[in-house]
Amino acid sequence: MAAQTILYDLPSQQGTAWSLNPWKTRLVLNFKGIDYKTEWVEFPDVEPKMKSFGLSPNSKEAPGYYTDYSIPAIKYEDGSYQMDSWPIAQELEKRYPEPSLHLDDPVTIKIRDMISTEILGPIFLQFLPYVPTILPERSQEYFYKTRTAAFGKPISEVHKEALANGEEGWKKTEEALAEVVDLLKKHDGPFFLGQTVSYADFIFTSMLYFVKRLDQGTFDRMVSYDPAFSKLFEASSQWFAKDN
């Protein structure tokens, strides 16, 4: 008998999912009705754990690359491992073709590439400092230490500077959101492909859920930009039910 699929995810203090990239994979598993269990991995344990599985570092050419070893990772029923939400989505689509994620639709690539650069990028530092408030203690300490080293200053200072330039960032983000609204309305919603669910929906709603967990105010501002966002979020809510 094949072993159960395992999703490796970052825990909140409550032992629930919160992070953008693992949610993308979790939504695929939930949508396709794949039987899986979650194994929680705290921030300091990610690299050693992934290395222990024999995984190679993420390719620096990979879309959205930000670190060598990352979450999500997955252990498939056949005992093989994989890391990074994009290749995982492609592999899950191969193994479980129905219902389809429509990965080959141009809107999927478009939304994937817009999230980190055009939508979250300009405002990310306004809410990134809230991450430690939802993390378990060991992950909190690791987060503060590594981010202080990366920025060369305490995260509280980074936050203050980001808020001071807040409206400039929002101007850029709202330009990108306007483009997303057009894409959602092209097929009359609620999903990017109209009545058909695709991975583009999971990428975008994972981002919305992530923002909501960190900062309700930022989430409210985003979804109030156009009713299409609330409609998409609501239409996707069933796949957020399993979060642990």
Side-chain angles (χ1 to χ4, degrees):
M1 194 174 105
Q4 192 177 24
T5 299
I6 299 173
L7 172 64
Y8 298 92
D9 197 350
L10 297 161
S12 66
Q13 288 168 19
Q14 295 77 30
T16 54
W18 61 274
S19 185
L20 194 166
N21 289 319
W23 258 120
K24 294 178 198 170
T25 301
R26 188 179 289 277
L27 290 178
V28 173
L29 293 166
N30 292 347
F31 172 65
K32 287 181 177 286
I34 299 165
D35 180 39
Y36 72 97
K37 65 179 182 180
T38 303
E39 194 167 305
W40 300 110
V41 185
E42 291 212 37
F43 269 122
D45 304 325
V46 172
E47 186 170 329
K49 188 90 165 170
M50 299 304 109
K51 284 180 173 175
S52 78
F53 297 155
L55 286 165
S56 302
N58 289 315
S59 165
K60 289 181 170 58
E61 314 304 313
Y65 170 87
Y66 66 96
T67 189
D68 285 350
Y69 292 93
S70 59
I71 294 293
I74 197 166
K75 182 182 182 182
Y76 296 107
E77 292 177 343
D78 61 10
S80 61
Y81 292 90
Q82 197 170 23
M83 184 171 59
D84 188 14
S85 58
W86 180 245
I88 289 172
Q90 292 171 310
E91 184 60 30
L92 286 170
E93 185 78 338
K94 272 186 215 157
R95 290 174 183 244
Y96 308 91
E98 294 300 327
S100 174
L101 296 172
H102 301 280
L103 292 173
D104 55 351
D105 194 285
V107 75
T108 298
I109 304 292
K110 178 79 177 158
I111 295 298
R112 182 198 73 186
D113 293 345
M114 284 181 80
I115 293 290
S116 57
T117 53
E118 297 169 56
I119 299 171
L120 285 187
I123 58 169
F124 194 48
L125 295 179
Q126 293 182 42
F127 59 86
L128 177 72
Y130 298 131
V131 168
T133 64
I134 61 174
L135 294 176
E137 196 175 335
R138 280 182 66 239
S139 288
Q140 263 183 42
E141 289 166 9
Y142 180 87
F143 189 90
Y144 280 125
K145 186 179 164 189
T146 54
R147 270 48 179 191
T148 300
F151 290 116
K153 60 180 95 169
I155 204 163
S156 55
E157 277 183 42
V158 175
H159 194 204
K160 207 180 294 178
E161 289 165 14
L163 291 175
N165 302 309
E167 287 310 307
E168 268 176 57
W170 270 105
K171 199 175 167 191
K172 290 176 189 166
T173 290
E174 285 173 355
E175 283 171 17
L177 291 178
E179 202 175 334
V180 177
V181 169
D182 288 344
L183 290 168
L184 272 171
K185 291 184 174 175
K186 189 177 173 185
H187 299 291
D188 300 322
F191 304 110
F192 284 100
L193 300 181
Q195 295 298 313
T196 302
V197 181
S198 73
Y199 191 56
D201 305 307
F202 296 154
I203 297 170
F204 196 77
T205 53
S206 289
M207 183 273 294
L208 288 177
Y209 189 93
F210 169 67
V211 170
K212 186 176 171 66
R213 276 301 299 266
L214 292 182
D215 184 20
Q216 184 70 38
T218 301
F219 172 81
D220 290 343
R221 182 163 178 176
M222 264 190 187
V223 295
S224 69
Y225 185 78
D226 193 278
F229 295 145
S230 294
K231 285 174 187 165
L232 172 63
F233 196 61
E234 205 172 299
S236 307
S237 62
Q238 58 187 299
W239 299 300
F240 284 93
K242 183 175 177 179
D243 64 355
N244 60 18

